[in-house]
Amino acid sequence: MNQLFRKFSIAAANALGSSWMFIANVFLILVWLFAGPFFHYSDTWQLVVNTATTVFTYLAVFLIQNTQNRDATAIHLKLDELIKGVPSARNHLVNLEDLTDEELSRLQEEFTRLRRTHERVIDKETSPAAAE
């Protein structure tokens, strides 16, 4: 069942994200708009598009979320593999998504300090006084 849903969600996400699907939806909205005068802009006429867009959006959210989850997992695994493959890398950085918010904040502060230190070194090396 999971494999079937996975295949369906990938195919549906690819179809929903295509330019042809956008064009088809613009066409459907135009048909709905031009049908308005024939239905005297009735409540039913409005209800049709409101119901269709609500159902479509509701289902699309799950497909999009499934695709985003798969993409995020794949990216995490690729980054974990890169971390694992670099001898000087800190292996505890693998699976950062499992850390608490506080642990992530501390790690972010550490990388901010490293970046600032690196920027100061670069600034000293590229300053006019260093060239002399």
Side-chain angles (χ1 to χ4, degrees):
M1 184 67 168
N2 282 341
Q3 286 290 25
L4 183 64
F5 180 70
R6 183 186 66 79
K7 288 179 181 180
F8 173 75
S9 66
I10 290 170
N14 288 336
L16 290 172
S18 72
S19 58
W20 291 108
M21 185 59 73
F22 177 78
I23 292 168
N25 277 287
V26 169
F27 177 74
L28 287 173
I29 294 298
L30 290 175
V31 167
W32 173 77
L33 283 172
F34 288 121
F38 298 107
F39 293 97
H40 307 290
Y41 300 103
S42 67
D43 289 343
T44 303
W45 172 77
Q46 292 179 19
L47 186 63
V48 166
V49 77
N50 287 340
T51 302
T53 55
T54 300
V55 169
F56 182 78
T57 302
Y58 180 76
L59 294 175
V61 164
F62 292 102
L63 293 173
I64 292 167
Q65 187 62 52
N66 178 270
T67 304
Q68 290 292 318
N69 289 347
R70 290 183 44 73
D71 287 347
T73 300
I75 288 171
H76 286 260
L77 291 171
K78 290 174 184 179
L79 290 172
D80 290 348
E81 177 62 22
L82 290 173
I83 291 169
K84 186 177 82 171
V86 176
S88 62
R90 295 180 284 179
N91 288 334
H92 71 277
L93 294 178
V94 173
N95 290 327
L96 287 179
E97 61 275 10
D98 295 333
L99 295 180
T100 66
D101 288 342
E102 293 80 24
E103 291 169 325
L104 287 172
S105 291
R106 283 195 302 271
L107 193 57
Q108 185 175 16
E109 289 168 4
E110 178 184 342
F111 281 112
T112 301
R113 283 192 306 275
L114 285 171
R115 181 183 50 84
R116 287 185 185 139
T117 302
H118 181 70
E119 286 174 348
R120 282 195 296 270
V121 169
I122 295 295
D123 287 345
K124 286 180 184 177
E125 290 174 358
T126 60
S127 69
E132 295 174 2

